[in-house]
Each structure stands twice: as structure tokens, then as C-alpha cells.
Amino acid sequence: MPSTPLNARDQLLTDWVAQRFPGQDVLIVPASADASFRRYFRLSLPDGTTRILMDAPPEHEDCWPFIKVAALLAKAGLAAPRVLDQDLEQGFLLLTDLGRIGYLEALHADLSLADTLIRPVLDTLVRWQLASSAATLPPYDAALLRRELELFPEWFIGRHLGVTLADNEKLLLERSFKYLINAALNQPKVYVHRDFMPRNLMLVESEQALTPAIIDFQDAVYGPITYDVVSLFRDAFISWDEEQEIDWVVRYWEKARAAGLPVRADFGDFWREYELMGLQRHLKVLGIFCRLKYRDGKDKYIEDLPRFMRYAKKTAGRYLPLKPLLNLLDKLDGQTEQIGYRR
């Protein structure tokens, strides 16, 4: 830990590590942080091995879902952190270390490797979905879908833009929400990671090949089969041209059909569900990124709002029932320029 005075939580963490590794000089350095209250530290032990320590303050975070999903991933034979030790009362998990190479960093370093890197991820996703069992994870039901969508008017429109919608605009937004919720609920259901994107994938070297490993999976649910697919290809931190996107989605769809997953028999039907699911996610994320800024003081996510507005407008413009939503998004996009919205 740094040489500056420790706050109470950092001192608790340091003491916990000392208790778990008595008599050993353990180096503790930050490994990563995410959009929640969780923090991750890399522990370097005297024998040269490393561990990851998850710090999840119990007043803000619940470690149990992480433990449960980690077990499901292990049962499915997928690469993911394994829980080596746990202290739920104090909010600490000791995990295996998957290394330092993340998919997002690897893609940004050399985009020519994108196809080579992404194809194994499709196999990983299919295996994750094949492991699905109803009633094992919380349902991605209408109530959860709506709570997510409501973040958009509350935090993006109201808090970020300072806009009060007219009654007719509230009505068209409500109709759009119902349309997206029904489209999601009508899809076949599987395990859903909820943030299955390059930022939450690690490259792990094995004897055979580079293996995608899954992290940040504690919010997993049981819901629409397209959700993780669209999370992967319409990402918060990297975008693809549509030709490449369609190629990868077709490859996933073919693998899923061959494996017996309940995807639609017609790719056009699957693509429509994929796009509508993506729109639900993108409206949610527009709200979440603004909440991170104004409630949690995490400003960096605001920079990616334009990416999600482009995603949302592109999809809304393709489907007749969503044309009123597109008109509203166009109007809001004009508002963003007045407050210095970076494009």
C-alpha cells in the first residue's frame, strides 16, 4: 500500500492481508477499479506468486453473487477467477490472478488482431449459455428491465441535460420502453453476464492458445439470449464497423444453432432482437454513466456518452415503432451540444 497515511478501510485491508499471510512480506498494489464501490489489489508474495484481493465494502456491495457465479463458471469449465478465501463480514475475497492482459488493452494495442482475439470469445459465450439453468440466477424480468430504462430520463435527460419532458414526450418514451421490454421478454432465456465486453475479458495463456477469461460477473442474471452478444459488439469503450459486427454476430448465431441454443432459426429475426436488446442497454448506459458522474463523482464515463447516443439513434431509426423515439433522441442530442457535449 502507499506510504501516505491509510484511511480506515485501507488499514483494515492491510491488516486482513497480514493475518492471512503471517510472517510474509506481501506487496499490495492497486490492480483495477470499476464503476461500483469494489476495488481490486494485486498481492505479490515472497515465493513469486500473486493473488487478487477484491475489496467490496459490505455496506455497499454483496460478495455472495460473485461467489455464486464464480462457481457456475467453474462448473462450466470456463476461465474465471477462483475464490481462494473469503470474509463476507468485512467484504474481502482472495482470488486467483488471471494476469495483466485485458482484451480491451490488447485490441487497442493492435486492432489487426481483432478477429483472432474475438473468435474464441464466441466459443466462450456459447459455453456460458449452454450451462444455463432456470431459477439459478435472478430473472431479468420486466421490473429489472424497466428500472434500468428509467435511469435514462432520470439521470441523462433530467440531471445531465436539465430537460423536463413535455407530457407527449413522456408518453412516447413510455411506449418505447414498453416496446423494448416486451421484445426482451419474448426472447429465449439463458445466463446473462450483463457486461460481457472486452473490458471484462482477460487474455490467459495456456498450452493450447490464448484463452478468454471472464471477470466482473457478479451481476449475472437469467434473461434474453442476445444480451451478452450485443454487449460484446456494441461496447462502451470500442466500436466496430457494421460489416465486421455482422460477420461476428453471424458466426455466433451459427455456433449457437449448432450447439442447440434456442436462437431464432432465421438470422433476420435474431438480428432484430439483437438490435432492440442493444437499444435497451444503450438507454440504460446513458443513464448509468451520468449517475456515475453526478452521484458518484466518476467523471470519465461521460466521455463515452456520444458513442451510446449514436448506437441508440442508429437502432431507433431502423424500426417504425421507434421513429418517435428517434425524433426525441435527435432533439436531446441538440441539447447536448449546448452544454458542451463532446462528440
Side-chain angles (χ1 to χ4, degrees), residues 17 58 93 183 197 217 230 260-261 263 269 293 300 309 324 327:
V17 171
L93 294 181
M197 56 187 180
F217 43 71
V230 77
L261 284 169
V263 292
D269 294 334
K293 173 180 171 65
K300 65 178 182 179
M309 182 59 83
N327 293 335

Side-chain angles (χ1 to χ4, degrees), residues 30-50:
S32 68
D34 60 24
S36 71
F37 290 94
R38 288 181 297 272
R39 299 184 299 170
Y40 298 87
F41 296 87
R42 178 167 282 105
L43 310 184
S44 296
L45 307 182
D47 64 2
T49 61
T50 60

